């Protein structure tokens, strides 16, 4: 476990070394280490050369064959040698994890027994190791804080979302929980709270609309746009409206669980989460975020022109609120027997040239922004370091309030501060 420190409301993991072995990808065969690390992994040429010279980057050949394995090191050889199919690349890297926002009481336990521990996750912390995050992830923090040997994550929340996260303490519990999620999905109910701009309609509504998003690297997610699932639904109900801030607290129950589903659905309906810069088209400080949001909104406008029912809230008529058994039987959209999939590429049609130009411009602007953020260099490894405001958009008003499964097991957190009565009044006084 590396060392970490707390300063100015952040938790920072001090730089540390980690070694990993990577089996060669087919597209790497015939290229040099310099080619792969520069062009595919984005490393600076001088940094790669330095790692090879210091024997932090090398190759073992003939791995998994009957031939003897030889370790190949040194810049004289590796600068010219072409990567082969049975090579394994070993890299010892100096890791610089991004810091995370760290409130006064960051980790609150909702429930614990021999098999699971349920945490009220703060905003701004990834649930599990991902990308540049390892020890600044919730699972690793909990493992270290409570002295667990291992921890298993069976579901996740977005980094910016707070609320209920169930972590398993042993493999058997993890398998059991995963089976519940997979085999009894109709018995799993997740309730979220969101604070959104504007006065959300009174009543209980269901919104059904396929999910797509523009990635900041210049492409559209998901990749299977030829057969995009349409059965992506969220049930919404306004809890209250605050006229002082012109915002509503909305109860959200996702029926499916797609990427950023609640955030995208609320934005599409014209009620974006009030501090979610990633899905707003107004009051957005970064040009890249604004460009992404405007393009995404235009894509959905094209979809709504052909499929106008995707733009509409449907009143949700159920005998028992949020009982989603038989969920597809009482929705007018499904009574019309619409297709479960649509071809979005065909829908975009003549707009594709413009879409691709805008995606390319977004990628270029994002690349320039990231390059400008690399303003300092690590004295030890020579890598450029990001200088970013990690508090920006690390906390959005979206909270996983409860998680219920099996019909008789439910975990629920306290309300977040921003969902309390008279919250905006207190904010204005402060």
């Amino acid at each position: 476990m590396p060392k970490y420190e707390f300063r100015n409301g952040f938790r920072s993991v001090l730089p540390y070394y980690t070694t990993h072995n990577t089996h060669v990808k087919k597209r790497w065969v015939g290229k040099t280490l310099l080619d792969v690390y520069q062009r595919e992994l984005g490393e600076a040429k001088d940094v790669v050369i330095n790692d090879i010279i210091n024997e932090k980057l090398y190759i073992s050949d003939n791995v998994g064959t009957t031939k003897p394995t030889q370790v190949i090191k040194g810049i004289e050889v590796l600068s010219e040698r072409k990567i082969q199919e049975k090579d394994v690349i070993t890299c010892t890297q100096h890791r610089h994890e991004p810091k995370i926002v760290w409130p006064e009481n960051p980790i609150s336990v909702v429930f614990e027994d021999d098999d699971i521990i349920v945490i009220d996750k703060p905003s701004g912390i990834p649930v599990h190791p991902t990308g540049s995050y390892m020890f600044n992830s919730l699972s690793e923090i909990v493992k270290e804080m409570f002295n667990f040997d291992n921890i298993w994550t069976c579901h996740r929340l977005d980094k910016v979302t707070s609320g209920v996260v169930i972590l398993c303490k042993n493999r058997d519990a993890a398998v059991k929980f995963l089976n519940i999620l997979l085999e009894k999905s109709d018995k799993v109910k997740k309730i979220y709270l969101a604070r959104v701009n504007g006065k959300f309609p009174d009543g209980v509504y269901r919104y059904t609309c396929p999910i797509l998003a523009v990635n900041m690297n210049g492409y559209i997610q998901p990749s299977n746009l030829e057969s995009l699932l349409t059965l992506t639904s969220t049930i919404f109900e306004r809890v209250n409206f605050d006229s002082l801030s012109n915002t509503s607290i909305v109860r959200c129950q996702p029926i499916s669980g797609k990427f950023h589903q609640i955030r995208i659905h609320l934005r599409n309906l014209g009620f974006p989460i009030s501090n979610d810069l990633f899905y707003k088209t107004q009051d957005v400080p970064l040009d890249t975020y604004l460009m992404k949001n405007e393009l995404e909104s235009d894509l959905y406008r094209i979809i709504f022109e052909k499929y106008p029912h995707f733009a509409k809230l449907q009143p949700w008529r159920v005998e028992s609120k949020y009982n989603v058994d038989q969920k597809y039987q009482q929705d007018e959209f499904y009574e019309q027997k619409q297709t479960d999939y649509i071809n979005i590429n065909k829908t975009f049609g003549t707009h594709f040239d413009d879409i691709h130009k805008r995606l390319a411009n977004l990628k270029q602007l994002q690349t320039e922004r990231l390059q400008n953020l690399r303003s300092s260099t690590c004295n030890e490894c020579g890598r450029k370091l990001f200088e970013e405001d990690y508090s920006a958009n690390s906390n959005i008003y979206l909270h996983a309030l409860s998680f219920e499964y099996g019909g008789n097991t439910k975990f629920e957190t306290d309300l977040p501060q921003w969902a309390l009565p008279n919250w905006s009044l207190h904010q204005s006084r402060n």
Side-chain angles (χ1 to χ4, degrees):
M1 179 70 187
K3 296 180 179 179
Y4 51 88
E5 63 181 12
F6 305 98
R7 183 181 301 173
N8 300 326
F10 292 97
R11 183 185 193 268
S12 300
V13 176
L14 301 184
Y16 59 94
Y17 283 97
T18 182
T19 300
H20 54 270
N21 298 312
T22 304
H23 290 270
V24 167
K25 301 181 187 298
K26 287 186 178 180
R27 66 177 182 271
W28 296 354
V29 174
K31 301 177 181 179
T32 66
L33 272 181
L34 282 171
D35 288 337
V36 170
Y37 271 75
Q38 278 184 264
R39 296 176 185 177
E40 291 213 23
L41 304 181
E43 294 278 15
K45 181 178 181 180
D46 57 339
V47 171
V48 181
I49 292 174
N50 187 59
D51 283 348
I52 295 174
I53 291 174
N54 292 310
E55 299 187 350
K56 290 183 171 62
L57 182 60
Y58 57 87
I59 287 176
S60 300
D61 67 2
N62 299 323
V63 175
T65 70
T66 57
K67 297 179 181 179
T69 297
Q70 179 183 3
V71 177
I72 304 169
K73 298 181 178 180
I75 190 65
E76 295 82 4
V77 178
L78 292 177
S79 62
E80 301 293 336
R81 182 187 181 277
K82 305 297 184 182
I83 292 173
Q84 300 175 12
E85 187 178 355
K86 297 300 181 180
D87 288 347
V88 169
I89 301 170
T90 299
C91 179
T92 299
Q93 193 173 47
H94 199 220
R95 291 193 63 167
H96 303 264
E97 288 196 36
K99 55 190 175 182
I100 57 175
V101 176
W102 195 253
E104 290 185 8
N105 299 301
I107 305 298
S108 174
V109 177
V110 177
F111 173 83
E112 183 178 6
D113 63 14
D114 292 339
D115 291 330
I116 65 173
I117 181 169
V118 183
I119 300 296
D120 184 358
K121 184 185 89 71
S123 300
I125 302 177
V127 169
H128 52 71
T130 179
S132 300
Y133 294 92
M134 175 63 187
F135 295 103
N136 256 351
S137 63
L138 181 70
S139 59
E140 293 299 312
I141 292 170
V142 168
K143 189 165 70 173
E144 191 270 336
M145 286 182 68
F146 296 93
N147 198 29
F148 296 148
D149 292 331
N150 285 296
I151 207 80
W152 281 262
T153 58
C154 299
H155 73 112
R156 61 179 295 275
L157 297 177
D158 291 338
K159 172 173 169 275
V160 295
T161 304
S162 59
V164 172
V165 173
I166 302 171
L167 302 172
C168 295
K169 296 182 179 181
N170 55 70
R171 188 179 299 276
D172 289 343
V175 170
K176 178 181 177 182
F177 188 73
L178 278 173
N179 286 336
I180 290 173
L181 294 182
L182 293 173
E183 298 173 7
K184 299 180 179 180
S185 59
D186 60 329
K187 300 296 184 182
V188 175
K189 184 164 71 172
K190 305 174 188 178
I191 300 297
Y192 293 75
L193 292 179
R195 180 175 285 275
V196 305
N197 285 349
K199 189 173 185 178
F200 199 87
D202 190 23
V204 183
Y205 295 89
R206 179 190 182 120
Y207 180 61
T208 300
C209 180
I211 294 295
L212 61 82
V214 172
N215 188 281
M216 301 292 281
N217 291 317
Y219 59 89
I220 300 174
Q221 300 170 278
S223 58
N224 59 331
L225 295 179
E226 296 83 3
S227 56
L228 188 64
L229 182 68
T230 63
L231 308 183
T232 304
S233 298
T234 311
I235 297 172
F236 294 112
E237 181 183 22
R238 191 181 79 204
V239 177
N240 62 56
F241 170 68
D242 177 63
S243 58
L244 183 62
S245 61
N246 190 32
T247 60
S248 303
I249 298 295
V250 178
R251 178 185 172 110
C252 319
Q253 183 188 352
I255 306 305
S256 42
K258 299 301 181 183
F259 174 80
H260 291 184
Q261 176 176 320
I262 295 174
R263 299 164 69 183
I264 291 173
H265 276 181
L266 287 169
R267 188 276 313 277
N268 287 358
L269 291 168
F271 300 97
I273 295 173
S274 60
N275 65 340
D276 188 358
L277 302 182
F278 214 58
Y279 288 106
K280 290 175 65 178
T281 55
Q282 296 179 345
D283 303 321
V284 180
L286 293 175
D287 290 343
T288 48
Y289 282 12
L290 183 60
M291 185 181 294
K292 167 202 173 296
N293 291 330
E294 290 178 340
L295 175 54
E296 233 169 56
S297 297
D298 288 344
L299 295 180
Y300 270 108
R301 271 192 285 272
I302 297 169
I303 294 172
F304 295 160
E305 286 176 3
K306 184 167 185 178
Y307 305 98
H309 49 273
F310 288 145
K312 298 176 182 178
L313 278 172
Q314 296 283 350
W316 180 233
R317 306 184 306 275
V318 290
E319 294 179 3
S320 176
K321 273 187 187 179
Y322 308 108
N323 177 9
V324 293
D325 297 340
Q326 313 297 324
K327 56 182 173 289
Y328 297 135
Q329 295 184 8
Q330 301 189 36
D331 190 309
E332 293 175 3
F333 170 72
Y334 293 101
E335 290 172 359
Q336 296 168 8
K337 297 182 179 179
Q338 299 286 346
T339 179
D340 291 354
Y341 297 90
I342 56 175
N343 188 332
I344 290 296
N345 284 338
K346 190 175 180 179
T347 302
F348 290 154
T350 57
H351 298 279
F352 248 119
D353 286 344
D354 178 63
I355 291 170
H356 284 303
K357 287 179 183 177
R358 294 171 69 179
L359 288 170
N361 289 339
L362 174 64
K363 181 178 180 180
Q364 180 179 353
L365 189 62
Q366 174 71 352
T367 300
E368 292 172 357
R369 189 182 83 85
L370 293 178
Q371 288 174 345
N372 291 334
L373 290 174
R374 293 178 180 269
S375 58
S376 62
T377 303
C378 175
N379 294 328
E380 188 166 342
C381 68
R383 284 178 170 79
K384 293 287 188 180
L385 304 179
F386 280 102
E387 298 292 337
E388 189 167 7
D389 180 7
Y390 294 104
S391 62
N393 212 42
S394 65
N395 169 32
I396 67 170
Y397 298 147
L398 181 62
H399 181 81
L401 181 67
S402 66
F403 194 118
E404 183 176 350
Y405 61 90
N408 57 2
T409 303
K410 180 179 181 179
F411 303 112
E412 186 167 343
T413 73
D414 295 333
L415 293 176
Q417 289 293 318
W418 50 262
L420 294 175
N422 300 319
W423 174 80
S424 63
L425 183 61
H426 293 302
Q427 290 291 104
S428 64
R429 287 174 178 172
N430 293 335

